[in-house]
Amino acid sequence: MLTFKPTRTALVTGAGRGIGKSIAESLARQGVTVICVSKSADSCGATAAAIVAAGGKAKALAVDVSDGAAVAKACEQLLAEFPVIDILVNNAGITKDGLMFRMSDEDWNAVIQTNLSSAFFWTKHLARPMTKSRWGRIVNISSVSGIMGNAGQANYSAAKAGMIGLTKSLAKELASRTITVNAVAPGFIKTDMTTEFVNNTEVSSKILEAVPLKRFGEAHEIAAMTTFLCSEEAGYITGQVFAVDGGMAM
Ligand code: NAP
């Protein structure tokens, strides 16, 4: 049983599908009001509608998280409505895989901007009111690729490793205001991002050779760790990276 004050508000990026949707729904089940952000209005709208239909509190907001000016504008509007957003989960992410010699500058920049710079943009704007209220939880969804590296994912691994550095630096900067900053590093989780691998028997059996628990993870298993890190009970944990990966990054 986890403790959440009934007044808590969270913002989850990439909440339209997969891991982000599961995190948004899990926080809502704890009584948290959840602002669901995704690129398309349809996808975050569907998550917010599902939360409300289940008796929770949610709002949908379509924002391109890779666009710093768009994030700044969204935060200004949100902070006029919610005096403080207590919980921030930086989850939105994309892949544009390819071996380095074939990776375009566009694919490098898109992945860094969407997966890493976005976390900086949201945190910069939303952490200030958290410092005033002297309470906050920030969780960055990194990846096992950011810990171990992965051939064909130089852009993605760099962004996800960057999130770990960001997490540790901000944990130190914000600790005096009782704001914790942690990272969760998923392994291979069954979502739209991994459908291609999971549904290919040859590729999936190769991947599972490297997973001691011999199965793919589920989005709710990432949501469970993230929800715990956002709870009152996790108040003495900051600057840490939690691999939820079936034992891959041991
Ligand atoms: P997913 O199913 O592909 O969903 C990605 C979500 O991010 C979608 O809601 C999407 O919005 C949103 N998004 C992407 N680009 C965006 C942008 N520019 N602006 C706003 N929203 C954007 O991915 P997932 O598998 O749930 O992954 C979630 C996070 O976990 C990612 O950061 C990913 O790197 C990380 N992760 C995943 C795995 C895995 O195995 N699945 C493993 C390690 C780490 P729309 O719905 O509007 O398209």
Side-chain angles (χ1 to χ4, degrees):
M1 179 83 175
L2 298 173
T3 313
F4 283 83
K5 286 196 179 157
T7 52
R8 295 286 184 225
T9 302
L11 185 142
V12 181
T13 69
R17 293 181 281 126
I19 292 170
K21 179 172 196 274
S22 196
I23 292 170
E25 290 177 337
S26 173
L27 289 170
R29 281 195 296 275
Q30 299 289 339
V32 174
T33 300
V34 184
I35 301 154
C36 304
V37 171
S38 69
K39 196 165 185 179
S40 101
D42 284 353
S43 97
C44 57
T47 302
I51 289 173
V52 171
K57 292 165 282 179
K59 175 188 173 82
L61 192 65
V63 186
D64 180 351
V65 301
S66 68
D67 179 343
V71 172
K73 195 171 158 212
C75 289
E76 196 185 322
Q77 287 167 354
L78 285 169
L79 292 172
E81 187 178 348
F82 302 91
V84 60
I85 293 167
D86 315 272
I87 297 167
L88 168 63
V89 181
N90 288 306
N91 162 82
I94 54 167
T95 51
K96 286 190 184 286
D97 297 350
L99 294 171
M100 183 189 66
F101 290 124
R102 282 192 229 132
M103 188 177 284
S104 66
D105 291 1
E106 287 74 23
D107 285 357
W108 170 268
N109 287 329
V111 169
I112 297 292
Q113 198 70 6
T114 305
N115 296 18
L116 176 59
S117 303
S118 62
F120 166 69
F121 299 148
W122 287 104
T123 309
K124 190 173 154 181
H125 297 291
L126 298 185
R128 194 178 290 281
M130 288 180 199
T131 64
K132 293 193 179 125
S133 70
R134 297 281 197 277
W135 195 94
R137 297 280 188 265
I138 300 169
V139 180
N140 294 321
I141 306 300
S142 175
S143 168
V144 72
S145 299
I147 298 174
M148 302 170 72
N150 194 18
Q153 286 199 312
N155 49 2
Y156 185 79
S157 303
K160 294 299 187 180
M163 283 186 109
I164 293 173
L166 179 73
T167 298
K168 289 177 181 280
S169 295
L170 296 185
K172 288 179 174 160
E173 284 189 28
L174 298 171
S176 65
R177 298 292 187 272
T178 333
I179 299 167
T180 67
V181 190
N182 289 290
V184 174
F188 282 94
I189 311 300
K190 282 193 267 176
T191 67
D192 292 351
M193 190 178 268
T194 53
T195 312
E196 208 183 305
F197 311 122
V198 172
N199 292 343
N200 180 324
T201 326
E202 206 177 309
V203 177
S204 69
S205 58
K206 190 91 192 134
I207 290 170
L208 291 178
E209 279 172 22
V211 183
L213 285 172
K214 298 291 169 219
R215 66 170 176 87
F216 293 102
E218 302 286 343
H220 70 81
E221 293 175 305
I222 307 305
M225 173 60 85
T226 305
T227 303
F228 168 67
L229 290 171
C230 296
S231 70
E232 294 294 333
E233 283 75 8
Y236 200 51
I237 303 170
T238 197
Q240 303 303 310
V241 184
F242 295 90
V244 182
D245 62 356
M248 272 182 91
M250 265 193 273

